[in-house]
């Protein structure tokens, strides 16, 4: 059973280290040497969400940090969290956070990011 936990821990580390790349869950499964569907079931049972949902959460969390602590454009933030299409990124962000990245920045920006 410990090796199953190890697979999930390695998957979490991989996602945290590679979220800024155009990484897919198939890439993750290949890296771990697992079938994609097996990885999905294992990850979902131990983390409580799919690998794809976890990847999205990591990307949105990092985007929130960049929105509040930098003056990067939305396009640059989208690229830095793994999305080439900033409109797609904005739709995903709004779905997760209930507001656009620009609205989020206006309501959450820290004072030191303006310097």
């Amino acid at each position: 059973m410990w090796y199953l936990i190890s697979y999930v821990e390695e998957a979490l580390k991989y996602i945290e280290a590679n979220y800024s790349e155009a990484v897919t869950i198939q890439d993750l499964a290949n890296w771990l040497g697992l079938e994609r569907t097996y990885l999905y079931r294992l990850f979902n049972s131990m983390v409580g969400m799919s690998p794809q949902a976890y990847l999205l959460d990591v990307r949105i969390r990092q985007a929130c940090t960049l929105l509040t602590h930098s003056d990067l454009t939305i396009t640059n933030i989208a690229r830095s969290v793994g999305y080439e299409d900033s409109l797609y990124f904005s739709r995903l962000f709004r779905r997760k956070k209930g507001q656009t990245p620009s609205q989020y920045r206006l309501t959450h920006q820290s004072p030191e990011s303006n310097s």
Side-chain angles (χ1 to χ4, degrees), residues 38-91:
Y38 180 68
L39 171 62
Y40 173 87
R41 286 194 312 271
L42 184 62
F43 196 97
N44 199 37
S45 71
M46 293 192 176
V47 178
M49 67 177 70
S50 71
Q52 190 65 40
Y54 184 80
L55 174 61
L56 176 60
D57 280 356
V58 169
R59 286 175 166 168
I60 297 299
R61 187 174 54 227
Q62 182 61 28
C64 288
T65 299
L66 291 172
L67 286 165
T68 57
H69 298 291
S70 79
D71 58 359
L72 293 172
T73 65
I74 304 302
T75 299
N76 286 338
I77 290 172
R79 287 187 180 135
S80 69
V81 297
Y83 297 103
E84 284 300 313
D85 183 344
S86 61
L87 293 176
Y88 178 64
F89 162 74
S90 293
R91 281 195 304 273

Side-chain angles (χ1 to χ4, degrees), residues 10-11 14-15 18 21-36 39 51-52 55 59:
E10 290 303 312
Y14 183 89
I15 291 170
N18 294 289
E21 305 297 321
V23 64
T24 66
I25 302 311
Q26 186 62 57
D27 294 335
L28 175 59
N30 292 344
W31 185 76
L32 290 168
L34 300 173
E35 290 291 324
R36 187 176 186 279
L39 171 62
Q52 190 65 40
L55 174 61
R59 286 175 166 168

